[in-house]
Amino acid sequence: MTSEFNVQNAAGYEQLMGRWSQKLAPMFIDFAGVADGEKILDVGCGTGSLTFALTRSADLREIAAIDYSPVFVEEAIRRNIDPRIKIRQADACALPFEDGAFDRALALLVLHFVPEAGKAVAEMRRVVRSGGVVAATVWDHLGGMPGMRMMVDTVAALSEAGRELRNRYCFQPMMQPGEMKRTFVEQGLADVTDVELMVRMDYLSFDDYWAPIAAGEGPLGKYMATLDAAERARTTAAVRDAYEAGRPDGPRSFANVAWACRGVVP
């Protein structure tokens, strides 16, 4: 298995996470750096949040984008109108490119869903030329995503299965402070730097927050799909209560932190 992310359809993913990854992408690009004429690899492109943001960041020569999910690949290809962008299905742990083929390899919100995350970093390093850059960013599920912790803490209070979900969700690969930096160093990258990036997730209502999870999108949605009707109703009511926090339903805003790391190929 090369990805643990659960995706049902592109529209559901956009409501769950795509709209937020679009906000994060320009900040990540600023951190990772790009320059005119470069050839860039987007590892785990999803529906194209980073891929298409890259076209607005510099006059790039070529952008190659890969994802393990055929749902994501199909949607990214459907959206693409730029001849510089080439999108294909591939494994982050076995990239189908020659050594040193790119100036930079970037991964936006991907490595924490790759069980062999270190191997994916090694592959990104392999396909980048000497002097080029490898960069990645992942959400801080444990301490930096209060909106999602709200759900996992709620379900953890309801059942043992909920507690198991919280353990998995909060301790995915690359999420602990310094973990991604250590991995970059272990894979032979130099001048490794890490920072925190922050965006706000702004929801119009509980339904805006909950609909993609209830529909089975992402790791939290995958958990919901395992519940029977009574447990689903009980969980929905409990999470709604947490979201509303004693006030009428309506807009809510959550600050969300991502770890970002970059290194140079010697």
Side-chain angles (χ1 to χ4, degrees):
M1 180 186 294
T2 58
S3 175
E4 292 183 337
F5 190 83
N6 182 62
V7 57
Q8 302 295 320
N9 64 74
Y13 169 79
E14 285 300 300
Q15 187 175 1
L16 175 71
M17 190 54 62
R19 51 181 167 169
W20 315 127
S21 60
Q22 289 170 28
K23 294 177 69 173
L24 184 63
M27 301 170 64
F28 176 53
I29 292 170
D30 286 345
F31 170 71
V34 291
D36 292 350
E38 288 189 335
K39 184 177 179 181
I40 309 292
L41 173 62
D42 179 1
V43 177
C45 65
T47 54
S49 296
L50 177 62
T51 309
F52 302 130
L54 282 164
T55 66
R56 300 186 292 272
S57 64
D59 184 14
L60 300 174
R61 176 162 53 99
E62 181 181 330
I63 303 167
I66 66 101
D67 202 281
Y68 191 68
S69 165
V71 174
F72 284 151
V73 170
E74 180 181 354
E75 180 63 13
I77 290 173
R78 186 189 70 80
R79 295 182 179 189
N80 182 34
I81 59 173
D82 193 319
R84 295 174 298 171
I85 298 174
K86 310 298 182 186
I87 304 165
R88 62 191 290 187
Q89 185 177 9
D91 182 349
C93 293
L95 294 171
F97 304 105
E98 296 181 357
D99 295 0
F102 298 93
D103 297 292
R104 298 174 202 261
L106 312 181
L108 176 76
L109 304 179
V110 175
L111 292 184
H112 48 318
F113 292 112
V114 179
E116 295 181 286
K119 188 173 182 180
V121 174
E123 276 291 275
M124 292 170 71
R125 178 192 186 280
R126 178 184 65 79
V127 302
V128 171
R129 63 169 175 80
S130 178
V133 170
V134 172
T137 186
V138 302
W139 291 124
D140 175 7
H141 279 188
L142 178 66
M145 294 195 80
M148 298 305 166
R149 277 297 302 266
M150 179 177 66
M151 176 197 167
V152 297
D153 286 338
T154 298
V155 301
L158 296 178
S159 70
E160 179 59 32
R163 286 187 287 276
E164 292 173 0
L165 167 68
R166 181 171 62 182
N167 181 264
R168 292 193 304 272
Y169 185 79
C170 291
F171 296 97
Q172 288 174 235
M174 303 291 101
M175 286 187 170
Q176 305 312 302
E179 183 181 1
M180 193 158 44
K181 185 175 183 178
R182 289 192 298 273
T183 300
F184 273 44
V185 171
E186 289 167 359
Q187 296 303 329
L189 292 161
D191 300 325
V192 178
T193 304
D194 61 351
V195 299
E196 297 177 24
L197 305 176
M198 194 276 285
V199 300
R200 297 200 73 90
M201 295 184 179
D202 298 306
Y203 298 98
L204 298 174
S205 65
F206 176 70
D207 284 343
D208 186 32
Y209 165 85
W210 189 243
I213 298 173
E217 294 295 339
L220 306 185
K222 184 177 182 179
Y223 169 80
M224 288 297 295
T226 67
L227 304 180
D228 61 29
E231 279 300 303
R232 284 173 62 88
R234 179 178 178 232
T235 300
T236 299
V239 179
R240 176 186 287 276
D241 184 64
Y243 176 92
E244 293 177 353
R247 299 292 180 90
D249 188 13
R252 301 290 189 271
S253 182
F254 303 97
N256 290 265
V257 173
W259 303 112
C261 188
R262 71 169 182 248
V264 177
V265 178

